[in-house]
Amino acid sequence: MGAECRYEVAQAAYVKLALHALKHPSAAVNGLLVGRLIEPSSIPAVISVVDAVPLSHHPHHLPLLPTLELALTLVEDHLATQGEGLAVVGYYHANPRRDDADLPAVAKRVGDHIFRYFPRSAVLLIDNKKLEKAIKGKSREPVVQLYTRDSSKSWLQAGSDGSSQLFLKEPSTNSVLADHVTTKKWEEIVDFDDHLDDISK
């Protein structure tokens, strides 16, 4: 069901998930993608990802369904009060190792969970090597790989077969990311783990 979709990622969402990965470079980090289905009847359908909600940087929290359920409930409740038609539309993940570009089983499980609520959900895997190039100003291509779920319930990297596609809404997004890195904006990123440690965050 995830096939034939165009995922448009806003600068705010993209920069936030990248900064989350940069804040914890030796940890697996993850979070939720927030957005809406804006053109359901078009082919391909268009999903707009407008924000990212950082969840975790502790590896032992990643597979815990109760922690995920609590985070999802809090995010969904917050979105409901906004009245903008936003929902959780996907998940992002960064592996702890620079050379690891495989989508881990935990990301697939979380993606499956979100898929039950949003059948056009996506999983974005942060490519640590591309992220490294982008923050040095050496690349304009997205630092994430798009995965969608096919009819056999497998998460496959999109784009190679011409189906789902990922686009950055603003072409200067990597330049903005590089600027944020020089000013250490990642220090301002607070994830759900940080909130559980200190509820004032």
Side-chain angles (χ1 to χ4, degrees), residues 91-161:
Y91 172 81
Y92 72 86
H93 185 91
N95 290 319
R97 289 193 346 260
R98 180 183 177 272
D99 61 342
D100 187 355
D102 293 328
L103 189 66
V106 66
K108 294 173 186 176
R109 284 196 306 271
V110 175
D112 288 340
H113 188 76
I114 295 169
F115 185 88
R116 291 189 298 173
Y117 302 99
F118 189 78
R120 289 190 168 121
S121 61
V123 174
L124 299 181
L125 178 65
I126 298 171
D127 184 318
N128 292 317
K129 288 183 180 179
K130 287 182 181 179
L131 179 58
E132 199 173 274
K133 287 181 185 175
I135 63 173
K136 292 178 181 175
K138 296 181 179 178
S139 175
R140 293 181 61 128
E141 69 177 304
V143 301
V144 291
Q145 300 168 0
L146 170 66
Y147 286 81
T148 55
R149 200 167 108 153
D150 67 7
S151 57
S152 68
K153 299 182 181 180
S154 298
W155 288 93
L156 301 175
Q157 188 171 349
S160 57
D161 61 354

Side-chain angles (χ1 to χ4, degrees), residues 8-126:
E8 296 180 347
V9 182
Q11 184 172 285
Y14 180 86
V15 169
K16 191 183 290 184
L17 65 87
L19 290 175
H20 188 208
L22 289 167
K23 183 176 181 178
H24 305 285
S26 60
V29 301
N30 64 37
L32 301 174
L33 302 173
V34 173
R36 65 176 64 86
L37 180 61
I38 55 174
E39 294 182 32
S41 59
S42 68
I43 296 177
V46 178
I47 292 92
S48 175
V49 178
V50 299
D51 201 1
V53 179
L55 284 184
S56 177
H57 63 272
H58 292 308
H60 59 279
H61 286 181
L62 293 180
L64 296 178
L65 192 56
T67 304
L68 175 65
E69 287 286 354
L70 177 59
L72 278 169
T73 300
L74 289 173
V75 170
E76 292 286 354
D77 287 350
H78 175 72
L79 294 175
T81 64
Q82 301 300 305
E84 298 176 18
L86 296 173
V88 174
V89 297
Y91 172 81
Y92 72 86
H93 185 91
N95 290 319
R97 289 193 346 260
R98 180 183 177 272
D99 61 342
D100 187 355
D102 293 328
L103 189 66
V106 66
K108 294 173 186 176
R109 284 196 306 271
V110 175
D112 288 340
H113 188 76
I114 295 169
F115 185 88
R116 291 189 298 173
Y117 302 99
F118 189 78
R120 289 190 168 121
S121 61
V123 174
L124 299 181
L125 178 65
I126 298 171

